[in-house]
Amino acid sequence: MHKILIINGPNLNLLGKRQTDIYGGINFEEYLTLLRDKYAIIDIHYFQSNHEGAIIDKIQASNTEFDGIVINPGAYAHTSIAIADAVQAISIPVVEVHISNVFARESFRHHSYLSAYCKGVIIGLGLNGYQLAIESLII
Ligand code: DQA
């Protein structure tokens, strides 16, 4: 059985409440239930944190435990060399997801430090991006 970890970074605990015009009205737990129903053959784990170090600890600990990671680093994508280093340091594949089209937004959202170390990046396709990322990890 595949074992996949989804990591959501800062403020993504507010999905469904925060800027619903940009991020949609569904909270992540609801979406996760749909994902787990749809991919019953995949063991999908979920971790959310608003803290950079906690995300780094989780990435490091996941190296041997999971087949792959789907990460939405939130704003840390644009600021965190430390998270990028953690992604580079592990050997399992990582797929980066952004719910919104960051290229259609402020220019400070146009660069992500970790993208270069990811298997791929899915941007602007809403919560569907997580599903597409999972599929890319199990094929
Ligand atoms: C985001 C985009 C980031 O720029 C922003 O800081 C977020 C969410 C997205 O999923 O579209 O928190 O990662």
Side-chain angles (χ1 to χ4, degrees):
M1 191 190 222
H2 288 282
K3 207 173 160 190
I4 302 288
L5 173 66
I6 299 175
I7 299 177
N8 272 343
N11 299 304
L12 292 163
N13 54 311
L14 299 178
L15 279 178
K17 293 186 208 139
R18 162 205 191 202
Q19 295 174 283
T20 51
D21 51 324
I22 297 177
Y23 299 114
I26 304 182
N27 74 51
F28 201 78
E29 280 68 22
E30 280 173 55
Y31 177 70
L32 200 56
T33 303
L34 299 177
L35 264 187
R36 285 182 172 139
D37 284 351
K38 182 162 180 152
Y39 296 101
I41 51 152
I42 307 173
D43 190 10
I44 302 175
H45 291 238
Y46 178 54
F47 178 77
Q48 190 278 329
S49 178
N50 294 324
H51 303 277
E52 188 175 17
I55 294 169
I56 292 165
D57 286 345
K58 192 68 183 177
I59 292 169
Q60 290 184 7
S62 300
N63 198 19
T64 48
E65 229 201 295
F66 293 93
D67 298 311
I69 298 176
V70 175
I71 185 167
N72 183 344
Y76 283 143
H78 320 305
T79 63
S80 179
I81 297 171
I83 289 179
D85 281 352
V87 169
Q88 189 181 23
I90 62 170
S91 51
I92 57 172
V94 177
V95 177
E96 180 180 355
V97 170
H98 293 282
I99 298 164
S100 64
N101 180 356
V102 285
F103 293 107
R105 301 180 65 193
E106 303 95 324
S107 58
F108 61 79
R109 297 184 202 276
H110 295 184
H111 176 258
S112 165
Y113 281 103
L114 62 146
S115 297
Y117 309 118
C118 289
K119 181 181 179 188
V121 184
I122 298 172
I123 291 173
L125 301 180
L127 290 177
N128 256 340
Y130 292 89
Q131 178 183 324
L132 296 169
I134 287 174
E135 288 193 8
S136 77
L137 286 169
I138 61 168
I139 50 172

